[in-house]
Amino acid sequence: MPDNTQFPKHWTPQEGVVSTLTEQDSTIQFAMTEKRVFAPPEAFAKAATISGMAQYQALCDEAEQDHEAFWARLAREQVLWHAPFTRTLDSSNAPFFKWFDDGQLNVSYNCLDRHLGTPVEHKTALIFEADDGSVTRITYGELHQRVCRFANGLKSLGHAQGERAIIYMPMSIEAVVAMQACARLGITHSVVFGGFSAKSLQERIVDAGATLVICADGQYRGGKALPLINAVHDAFDLGGCEAIRNVVVYKRTGTEFKSDARHHWMHDLEGGQSASCDPVWVGAEHPLFILYTSGSTGKPKGVQHSSGGYLLHAMLTMKWTFDIKPSDVFWCTADVGWVTGHTYVAYGPLAVGATEIIFEGVPTFPNAGRFWDMIARHQVSIFYTAPTAIRSLIKACEAAPETHPSKYDLSSLRLLGSVGEPINPEAWMWYHTQVGGGRCPIVDTFWQTETGGHMITPLPGATPLVPGSCTLPLPGITTAIVDEFGHDLPNGTGGILVVKKPWPSMIRTIWGDPERFKKSYFPPELQGYYLAGDGAVRNKDTGYFTITGRIDDVLNVSGHRMGTMEIESALVANPLVAESAVVGRPDDLTGEAIVAFVVLKGARPADAPAAAAIARQLRDWVGQEIGPIAKPKDIRFGDNLPKTRSGKIMRRLLRSIAKGEDITQDTSTLENPAILDQLKQSL
């Protein structure tokens, strides 16, 4: 078992207990228990890749006995190497760890070429369902040809290994083609979520030093055509994007735009190109991608991932967590703009030869039964989505009973998954009973953009499940709960979640900012451990982990992490705003809701209608500056913010106000206690 895990022999599904926690001041207090436990179905366990806790235990023991040898064995078994590695882990410049660094490979080759000449070549790789319900299928052989043609097109424009490309596209076969083509040529890609604003796009172009943009003219969502190319041009107008030599555009909606010599249609670029393109062999540490995630400062962090170690973890978790079989139809609902869409759409499923669904639309169009209808029509067997989606569909089917999962044939499902944030026990139970029919294990996966893949998760053929708990770490992942000085805490005591040993798919650095990387993830007071940034607790009896929330000021809204500073910066950029502070509060739908406390340059609004009008204006402003996901759900106005006499904003006070809690903190140091009553007023 991993460090600190106690899984007693007498423990049975009827006796299991795991904790759900609340935070009080700097400690996490025991609040309630969850006694429902679900053993792996016997037939599922018998056929699983990891069958039973004994097999899990054996893998954990192997990793514990020789950490490097464990990962070296798996890397040789799973990954196809052009030049085999001889050095497994280089820790000489910790925390800038290197894995398999003298080996050479190509990620696209591992996802596509490895299947040529096997039955998988003629197997469906991608089933694309458009917003309007039209379906396109592409086999592995056909996908290989498209990737090669597009890669050759990029080569014809002069793009090559060592450059960076920004990909700004909707969910589509073309998005996967673009990512795979970049990987094939050794071009590091940075995918930007299609809902982000021009300013967010511009920041990422500039920070990455990109020379190429691959985008779409538009996208369809909820029956509407939404432009994308305009945001690209608006980003250029903001300046700093002069290094962009070419803009390749996927023609999706027919949106009109002004083009120049830099613009090329994707279909024209592919046309006439050879369907064969030799992969560029790169070192295992070559940056496969940079993915920007919000930090606790205003500047987004470019999380840099490697090629070899990242690919290994993507493949292993497809086999271990999802227990992927040749007959499965796998559907991860995440957008490729997020890390889940990288690991479990663009790379992991293809590397193991799976058939997967790619969906352009939204789960509530044309009605809230869209997910269930697609599962039935495409015979989906593994379904992986976010708790936010589950909670929204619970509410939707209450309002429209005809969209309830029971109205659809979901008998093809054999495994369910949850990603992006902790799933509350009651949503877990609804997912298990109403979607899975009580027969499908749920893998509640804890991981991050920075980890590259799952870290703590049930293994469906081995792990007894407890609603609300992500259970145990994967073999080879050494997680622990520590105090602020890195000292181990006993099971049952909440603290800081850390990873004690490096692992192959871990973040390599923050692009262009190694000092920020060390400060953010390997603070010296934690003894060299990786800081996940989340609080957690382990059950006293089982060692099961329950995530209790962020330990910093990063908000998790619908599974998307955003820094409060970034939202505050956007608000203060508005001419009306003098100062702002942003906190989160629990939300039944999105997990966490954004609450903004705003001080205007002019007088505080005189009445509720005036306040509501300004709040709407500020929400729209934030949507333009960052993206719709960052819009505050609640904006409150005050003459000032609660500060100490030294000028420090008392954010714990604001969190209490946002949650509607009685203020129990000492307010004697407040500069102006009267403003608390103002800030309690919600629109």
Side-chain angles (χ1 to χ4, degrees), residues 85-157:
F85 63 91
T86 63
R87 184 170 49 244
T88 301
L89 173 62
D90 180 358
S91 302
S92 61
N93 190 29
F96 300 96
F97 299 100
K98 296 180 180 180
W99 286 88
F100 324 119
D101 64 303
D102 62 344
Q104 286 189 326
L105 76 160
N106 182 277
V107 171
S108 177
Y109 182 91
N110 271 270
C111 291
L112 301 174
D113 301 59
R114 73 184 305 153
H115 304 305
L116 301 182
T118 76
V120 177
E121 178 180 353
H122 307 291
K123 179 182 179 180
T124 298
L126 307 175
I127 302 172
F128 171 67
E129 178 154 321
D131 187 67
D132 66 2
S134 59
V135 176
T136 304
R137 291 176 170 83
I138 185 170
T139 67
Y140 273 88
E142 293 166 340
L143 181 60
H144 175 264
Q145 292 180 8
R146 281 212 58 187
V147 169
C148 286
R149 289 194 177 101
F150 188 56
N152 284 328
L154 294 180
K155 283 167 54 175
S156 74
L157 297 178

Side-chain angles (χ1 to χ4, degrees), residues 531-555:
L531 174 64
D534 285 286
V537 69
R538 302 190 73 173
N539 179 263
K540 290 181 179 179
D541 298 320
T542 66
Y544 276 17
F545 284 80
T546 297
I547 306 300
T548 59
R550 300 295 300 167
I551 61 171
D552 55 17
D553 287 325
V554 176
L555 305 180

Side-chain angles (χ1 to χ4, degrees), residues 63-355:
E64 182 65 25
Q65 289 164 9
D66 193 330
H67 188 67
E68 291 187 32
F70 172 78
W71 288 112
R73 175 181 70 79
L74 293 169
R76 293 188 177 103
E77 290 176 357
Q78 302 295 327
V79 177
L80 297 181
W81 297 92
H82 176 68
F85 63 91
T86 63
R87 184 170 49 244
T88 301
L89 173 62
D90 180 358
S91 302
S92 61
N93 190 29
F96 300 96
F97 299 100
K98 296 180 180 180
W99 286 88
F100 324 119
D101 64 303
D102 62 344
Q104 286 189 326
L105 76 160
N106 182 277
V107 171
S108 177
Y109 182 91
N110 271 270
C111 291
L112 301 174
D113 301 59
R114 73 184 305 153
H115 304 305
L116 301 182
T118 76
V120 177
E121 178 180 353
H122 307 291
K123 179 182 179 180
T124 298
L126 307 175
I127 302 172
F128 171 67
E129 178 154 321
D131 187 67
D132 66 2
S134 59
V135 176
T136 304
R137 291 176 170 83
I138 185 170
T139 67
Y140 273 88
E142 293 166 340
L143 181 60
H144 175 264
Q145 292 180 8
R146 281 212 58 187
V147 169
C148 286
R149 289 194 177 101
F150 188 56
N152 284 328
L154 294 180
K155 283 167 54 175
S156 74
L157 297 178
H159 294 287
Q161 178 182 353
E163 296 186 54
R164 271 81 61 202
I166 296 290
I167 299 176
Y168 187 61
M169 302 180 79
M171 287 294 287
S172 56
I173 292 173
E174 285 69 20
V176 175
V177 167
M179 295 170 75
Q180 287 281 340
C182 286
R184 196 166 194 84
L185 297 179
I187 297 172
T188 300
H189 64 65
S190 183
V191 183
V192 179
F193 174 56
F196 274 150
S197 67
K199 184 176 181 181
S200 296
L201 181 60
Q202 180 256 1
E203 290 173 343
R204 286 152 174 79
I205 291 172
V206 172
D207 190 75
T211 59
L212 168 67
V213 171
I214 306 170
C215 63
D217 59 348
Q219 61 183 327
Y220 290 102
R221 288 180 68 83
K224 299 177 181 178
L226 305 173
L228 282 180
I229 187 66
N230 296 339
V232 175
H233 292 156
D234 290 345
F236 291 171
D237 291 341
L238 292 172
C241 303
E242 292 76 19
I244 297 295
R245 303 199 308 272
N246 291 289
V247 180
V248 179
V249 186
Y250 162 45
K251 190 174 185 179
R252 176 69 184 118
T253 60
T255 299
E256 294 185 0
F257 62 93
K258 291 183 179 180
S259 63
D260 55 36
R262 293 186 298 177
H263 291 74
H264 313 270
W265 288 115
M266 188 174 186
H267 60 271
D268 287 341
L269 195 61
E270 286 186 44
Q273 297 289 347
S274 168
S276 177
C277 177
D278 290 337
V280 174
W281 305 109
V282 298
E285 284 297 313
H286 175 77
L288 176 63
F289 64 87
I290 305 164
L291 189 56
Y292 285 87
T293 183
S294 295
S296 56
T297 66
K299 183 182 177 182
K301 296 183 294 187
V303 173
Q304 178 183 319
H305 274 290
S306 71
S307 295
Y310 171 81
L311 177 66
L312 172 62
H313 206 83
M315 296 180 70
L316 284 175
T317 48
M318 285 298 302
K319 295 178 179 182
W320 287 356
T321 310
F322 294 121
D323 191 49
I324 197 76
K325 306 295 186 190
S327 59
D328 278 320
V329 177
F330 177 81
W331 185 12
C332 169
T333 66
D335 191 282
V336 291
W338 308 108
V339 72
T340 307
H342 282 55
T343 308
Y344 301 113
V345 176
Y347 292 114
L350 298 179
V352 299
T355 295

Side-chain angles (χ1 to χ4, degrees), residues 383-629:
F383 182 62
Y384 191 40
T385 195
T388 299
I390 297 167
R391 287 190 290 263
S392 66
L393 293 173
I394 291 173
K395 296 182 72 171
C397 74
E398 289 175 354
E402 68 276 9
T403 66
H404 192 276
S406 62
K407 305 297 182 181
Y408 302 84
D409 181 6
L410 305 183
S411 60
S412 61
L413 288 171
R414 71 181 191 89
L415 179 63
L416 301 174
S418 173
V419 61
E421 58 188 322
I423 181 171
N424 58 294
E426 292 314 310
W428 192 103
M429 287 300 303
W430 186 90
Y431 196 27
H432 183 255
T433 58
Q434 304 303 312
V435 179
R439 70 184 187 282
C440 300
I442 298 176
V443 287
D444 176 7
T445 59
F446 169 79
W447 61 297
Q448 305 170 313
T449 302
E450 294 87 347
T451 70
H454 304 153
M455 299 293 280
I456 309 175
T457 176
L459 299 178
T463 316
L465 305 175
V466 175
S469 172
C470 51
T471 70
L472 297 170
L474 289 172
I477 303 299
T478 309
T479 52
I481 310 295
V482 301
D483 64 17
E484 59 187 346
F485 301 107
H487 302 136
D488 285 327
L489 292 172
N491 288 356
T493 302
I496 299 169
L497 179 64
V498 298
V499 186
K500 289 189 170 184
K501 296 179 181 179
W503 68 101
S505 68
M506 65 191 300
I507 177 177
R508 293 309 195 256
T509 189
I510 293 174
W511 179 261
D513 200 343
E515 289 304 312
R516 188 181 183 191
F517 165 73
K518 289 194 291 185
K519 182 179 178 181
S520 298
Y521 301 109
F522 292 91
E525 60 269 22
L526 289 184
Q527 304 182 39
Y529 300 154
Y530 169 83
L531 174 64
D534 285 286
V537 69
R538 302 190 73 173
N539 179 263
K540 290 181 179 179
D541 298 320
T542 66
Y544 276 17
F545 284 80
T546 297
I547 306 300
T548 59
R550 300 295 300 167
I551 61 171
D552 55 17
D553 287 325
V554 176
L555 305 180
N556 193 329
V557 182
S558 299
H560 306 316
R561 290 177 57 196
M562 287 174 290
T564 57
M565 183 64 72
E566 192 173 20
I567 303 169
E568 290 168 3
S569 297
L571 284 165
V572 173
N574 187 285
L576 296 175
V577 177
E579 197 172 11
S580 72
V582 169
V583 300
R585 63 169 167 79
D587 186 88
D588 289 341
L589 182 61
T590 60
E592 207 170 13
I594 300 169
V595 181
F597 296 89
V598 172
V599 179
L600 298 175
K601 290 180 178 177
R604 187 164 53 93
D607 52 38
I614 296 175
R616 282 194 298 271
Q617 185 177 342
L618 295 180
R619 286 191 189 98
D620 291 341
W621 173 272
V622 172
Q624 293 168 6
E625 290 287 295
I626 302 175
I629 194 72

